[in-house]
Amino acid sequence: MEYLQEELDRLLKEYPHQRELRDRLDSLASVYPFNEYEYLISHLLAANVLTLDAYVEIRDEYIARNLNLYIYEITAPRKFGESWAQGHLHALVPNLQKPSKKLDPNYSGQYDFMLGKIRIEVKASRAVDKEKDGPLYTKALSHRSKKDFLMNFQQIKPDCCDVFVWIAVWTDVIWYWVLSAREVRENEFYSVSQHRGNVGEGQLHLKRENIRDFDEYKIKPNRLEQAIRNAYKRNLA
């Protein structure tokens, strides 16, 4: 959204009644799909400040930068974490199985998938502008953004699985990290104090200052299955 805003601000400086239009935008009532962007673009087109060809180019570039924006519109945490994230990972690694008492007599919902006897927990988060308030989709960031972002992987229980798969969503890319449970438990950024009284459960924040510390665990989507197997071996070592 920030790149679109910068481009429209640049064009607005060429609009003959810039002050009046800005004042109108400040008090504009918006109801989807009629919002401040639709209102501004229509005025720029009418004044020939923005040509139709230039508008199509801006639109195409915006779509290319925001292919994952719909994921930010998933408001229910469980729908995002379970329905979307688990479904997304299973599509990439079809050999994953949903656990059951038949596959694991000790299973009681502690983890999300099995790969053979490997117990896998999936965690997902979306990169957002940590300085901005509002709905998630208004704070969504491209991975190229220079703004400070925050991603929080919550309810992490290293004692309940063998391997973690973390999925990080930006508006334009999705990244994956695969870590053994031991590597998470011993990581300096892992905090065991998410909720008072929740023994064995913690969280980990990823942000600009520490994300590069996880580069060794970052995996391309076509290598996820092998990465899970390798992390399991590291967990046993």
Side-chain angles (χ1 to χ4, degrees):
M1 193 68 74
E2 60 185 300
Y3 299 104
L4 175 62
Q5 189 65 60
E6 289 172 2
E7 180 65 14
L8 293 178
D9 284 343
R10 183 188 66 79
L11 291 168
L12 188 52
K13 293 176 182 178
E14 303 175 26
Y15 188 74
H17 306 291
Q18 177 189 161
R19 185 67 268 161
E20 292 90 332
L21 183 52
R22 287 188 183 276
D23 290 342
R24 183 70 183 92
L25 288 170
D26 288 340
S27 60
L28 187 69
S30 297
V31 177
Y32 180 85
F34 300 102
N35 57 28
E36 65 270 26
Y37 295 102
E38 166 269 332
Y39 190 83
L40 176 55
I41 289 171
S42 64
H43 278 70
L44 294 174
L45 285 167
N48 291 319
V49 173
L50 178 65
T51 66
L52 183 59
D53 287 343
Y55 161 73
V56 171
E57 183 177 348
I58 290 174
R59 183 181 185 278
D60 289 346
E61 290 176 353
Y62 177 84
I63 291 173
R65 288 194 307 267
N66 292 278
L67 291 175
N68 300 326
L69 191 59
Y70 74 96
I71 302 173
Y72 286 80
E73 296 174 347
I74 302 173
T75 56
R78 176 162 293 187
K79 187 174 181 180
F80 169 65
E82 295 183 8
S83 299
W84 180 82
Q86 292 181 29
H88 177 77
L89 181 62
H90 190 265
L92 295 172
V93 188
N95 287 330
L96 294 177
Q97 291 180 286
K98 290 298 292 182
S100 65
K101 287 282 189 181
K102 183 176 181 180
L103 295 173
D104 177 3
N106 297 317
Y107 177 70
S108 59
Q110 310 97 309
Y111 54 92
D112 299 317
F113 286 115
M114 298 186 74
L115 182 63
K117 62 181 180 180
I118 305 171
R119 301 171 301 165
I120 302 157
E121 176 74 0
V122 183
K123 294 296 179 185
S125 189
R126 293 164 281 197
V128 297
D129 183 350
K130 67 178 185 179
E131 302 298 331
K132 188 174 182 180
D133 294 325
L136 274 182
Y137 65 87
T138 67
K139 303 187 290 182
L141 292 177
S142 158
H143 85 290
R144 300 183 186 277
S145 173
K146 302 302 182 184
K147 293 187 175 182
D148 288 333
F149 63 86
L150 179 66
M151 285 185 287
N152 188 13
F153 295 93
Q154 302 181 353
Q155 296 177 321
I156 295 175
K157 301 176 182 178
D159 294 334
C160 294
C161 66
D162 304 304
V163 174
F164 284 96
V165 177
W166 291 349
I167 303 174
V169 179
W170 276 267
T171 59
D172 54 342
V173 296
I174 298 176
W175 286 358
Y176 311 87
W177 295 272
V178 179
L179 300 87
S180 72
R182 178 175 57 82
E183 289 164 341
V184 172
R185 185 187 302 108
E186 297 176 357
N187 191 277
E188 63 177 303
F189 300 108
Y190 173 62
S191 170
V192 296
S193 58
Q194 180 176 349
H195 299 297
R196 181 179 299 177
N198 282 20
V199 179
E201 177 179 307
Q203 63 182 333
L204 192 147
H205 293 90
L206 280 186
K207 43 193 174 181
R208 189 173 303 282
E209 294 83 356
N210 69 352
I211 194 168
R212 296 303 302 269
D213 292 307
F214 294 86
D215 280 356
E216 64 181 297
Y217 307 113
K218 188 178 173 185
I219 303 296
K220 293 184 181 298
N222 63 341
R223 299 289 297 166
L224 282 168
E225 181 171 337
Q226 187 57 52
I228 291 170
R229 298 185 188 279
N230 292 343
Y232 178 67
K233 292 177 184 177
R234 297 197 303 271
N235 201 53
L236 297 177

